[in-house]
Amino acid sequence: MLEVRDLSKSFGGVHAIDGVSLNVKLGEIHAVIGPNGAGKTTLVSQIAGEVLPDRGAIHLGGADITRLPPHARAQRGLARSYQITSVFRDMSVIDNVALAVQAHDGHSFRFWRPARSEHGLRNQAMEILDTVGLKPLAGQPVGALAHGQQRALEIAMALASEPTVLLLDEPLAGMGVEESREMVDHLRSLRPDRAVLLVEHDMDAVFQLADRISVLVYGKLIATGRPEDIRADPHVQAAYLGEEDA
């Protein structure tokens, strides 16, 4: 579903991404790991269309999307979550997702009718909330949610666009142990219907979730493989996993 070929990006004299190639298949969670400054967020930003590459190509479902703007990629089935949660805190949980469904469907809430009367949108929003475990909290204001619940809501908003490829940039950031455990369960449930590219620092979660793992160090891809192969790779241990044990 997603293929990156020889992708490169420099900022001044710094090679943030240097000749990276990888792919993500339908039904697969492909994790990208690496130390701080490895280029993970730059890679995701290029795939999402927020940063244009200096060299290389990005294909979505076989089509070249390398130069398409972010909204055109979204229309073709690509969605992204961010490191920093971006939700409407003064609105209810279901209203946030209903707005995301509205944006995808390409129509507007008419100003003389409350959004709550758009039953089709809200029914779809409720189904999405059920996917991420937030259905019981649908009527709650977002500002009252715990951090992990807000992260789950952002993923629900990304799912509202019905993506075939989902880019998740550190979805477990700032979560406690129990929140992380719940999020891992929710992310695992996303696998059958889409391809997921996951950037995450939580190594326990990565090795629980990922079908394949790619390791970035200073913008270069040093290894790609199954979790057990990556865990046993001495180059990976020296470059990244060993830092976590130090």
Coordinates of all heavy atoms in Angstrom, one line a residue, residues 13 29 92 127 141-142 149 170 173 201 210:
G13 N 23.4 21.6 5.9 CA 24.4 20.5 5.7 C 24.0 19.3 6.4 O 24.8 18.3 6.4
I29 N 1.5 -3.7 10.4 CA 2.1 -2.6 11.2 C 3.6 -2.6 11.1 O 4.2 -3.6 11.5 CB 1.7 -2.7 12.7 CG1 0.1 -2.6 12.9 CG2 2.3 -1.6 13.5 CD1 -0.3 -2.7 14.3
S92 N -17.3 18.3 22.6 CA -17.4 16.9 23.1 C -16.6 15.9 22.3 O -16.2 16.3 21.2 CB -18.9 16.5 23.1 OG -19.3 16.3 21.8
E127 N -19.4 4.8 15.7 CA -18.7 3.5 15.4 C -17.2 3.6 15.5 O -16.5 2.7 15.9 CB -19.2 3.1 13.9 CG -20.6 2.8 13.8 CD -21.0 2.5 12.3 OE1 -20.1 2.5 11.5 OE2 -22.2 2.2 12.1
P141 N -16.8 16.3 27.5 CA -15.9 17.3 26.9 C -14.5 16.8 26.8 O -14.0 16.1 27.7 CB -16.0 18.5 27.9 CG -16.5 17.9 29.2 CD -17.3 16.8 28.8
V142 N -13.8 17.1 25.7 CA -12.5 16.6 25.5 C -11.5 17.0 26.6 O -10.7 16.3 27.0 CB -12.0 17.1 24.1 CG1 -10.5 16.7 23.9 CG2 -12.8 16.4 23.0
Q149 N -6.6 9.1 26.7 CA -7.9 9.2 26.0 C -7.9 10.2 24.9 O -8.5 10.0 23.8 CB -9.0 9.4 27.0 CG -9.2 8.3 28.0 CD -10.0 8.6 29.1 OE1 -10.1 9.8 29.5 NE2 -10.7 7.6 29.7
E170 N 4.4 8.6 17.2 CA 4.4 8.4 18.7 C 3.1 8.5 19.4 O 2.8 9.4 20.2 CB 5.4 9.5 19.3 CG 6.8 9.4 18.8 CD 7.8 10.2 19.6 OE1 7.6 10.4 20.8 OE2 8.8 10.6 19.0
A173 N 3.0 8.6 23.3 CA 3.8 9.6 24.0 C 3.1 10.1 25.2 O 2.0 10.5 25.1 CB 4.2 10.8 23.0
H201 N 8.7 5.5 20.5 CA 9.9 5.3 21.3 C 9.7 4.1 22.3 O 10.7 3.6 22.9 CB 10.2 6.6 22.1 CG 10.9 7.6 21.3 ND1 12.2 7.4 20.9 CD2 10.6 8.8 20.9 CE1 12.7 8.4 20.2 NE2 11.7 9.3 20.2
A210 N 4.5 -4.6 16.1 CA 5.1 -4.6 14.8 C 5.2 -5.9 14.1 O 5.6 -6.9 14.7 CB 6.4 -3.8 14.8

